[in-house]
Amino acid sequence: MIDEQRSRPVLVGDERATLTSVLQWQRDTLMLKCAGLTDEQLRCKAVAPSGLSLIGLVRHLAEVERGWFRNVLNDEDVRGYFPKNAAGEWTEFHVEEADPAEAFKIWEDTCARSRAIVDAAESLDVTGHHGDQAYSLHYILAHMIEEYARHNGHADLLREAIDGVTGE
């Protein structure tokens, strides 16, 4: 993916169009940060002592998409793609043996499912629940933008450490 292939955010539009387009821009930015790298580079934990890697971020964001859109908003019971290990730790950042093609497929399919759930929602006021706590679609979209923006900052640093590429 090159910068020109990213979906441009809606600059003048209603709130739903603005939120969903900014979220897609953030998703596309993550893809851009990962473009053109080898599997080894995608697994690289480039900023010691952190265990973060680009493919770990992709796997993590697949889990975040699944959790918020499918489980919370859509009331599904979809278990984690990268479940906890014997020590009780989430494994999306344990990438030594990770298959980047599989991770991207899971993430892309999950994003497509998230978009379909959002498209089917009557309004930004629809709610889902996690336990006793209600969350509106409006909140979830804003939170997802924040989640991607934070991790895209990480991705920017990781990419620069891997091969010197910088950018938006």
Side-chain angles (χ1 to χ4, degrees):
M1 171 177 276
I2 58 174
D3 186 53
E4 292 78 28
Q5 292 175 306
R6 287 190 290 177
S7 303
R8 298 288 176 203
V10 171
L11 302 179
V12 177
D14 67 21
E15 193 167 13
R16 184 185 200 121
T18 301
L19 288 169
T20 57
S21 70
V22 170
L23 177 54
Q24 189 58 48
W25 172 264
Q26 293 293 333
R27 289 172 176 141
D28 290 349
T29 298
L30 180 63
M31 182 64 81
L32 180 66
K33 295 298 173 190
C34 296
L37 296 175
T38 66
D39 288 359
E40 183 179 311
Q41 288 172 314
L42 289 166
R43 287 188 209 99
C44 182
K45 297 173 184 175
V47 183
S50 174
L52 285 179
S53 66
L54 288 168
I55 204 61
L57 291 175
V58 169
R59 289 163 50 119
H60 171 68
L61 287 162
E63 294 287 16
V64 173
E65 293 263 357
R66 173 198 55 80
W68 280 105
F69 290 109
R70 296 189 72 183
N71 290 355
V72 174
L73 188 63
N74 217 35
D75 196 30
E76 297 179 46
D77 186 20
V78 180
R79 298 294 174 210
Y81 305 120
F82 312 102
K84 291 183 179 182
N85 62 18
E89 304 165 319
W90 290 104
T91 60
E92 65 259 36
F93 291 112
H94 297 201
V95 299
E96 293 74 17
E97 304 297 321
D99 178 358
E102 175 189 43
F104 280 112
K105 174 88 169 100
I106 290 169
W107 176 64
E108 289 169 352
D109 289 350
T110 303
C111 290
R113 180 71 176 125
S114 297
R115 283 189 296 275
I117 290 167
V118 171
D119 290 347
E122 292 177 21
S123 76
L124 294 176
D125 296 326
V126 299
T127 59
H129 294 83
H130 184 272
D132 293 335
Q133 181 63 56
Y135 297 93
S136 70
L137 174 56
H138 188 247
Y139 171 82
I140 292 169
L141 288 169
H143 175 69
M144 290 300 295
I145 291 166
E146 178 269 334
E147 183 84 15
Y148 271 92
R150 178 173 6 104
H151 290 312
N152 281 336
H154 299 141
D156 200 32
L157 294 171
L158 289 165
R159 180 64 189 252
E160 185 175 5
I162 291 167
D163 68 357
V165 171
T166 61
E168 212 174 294

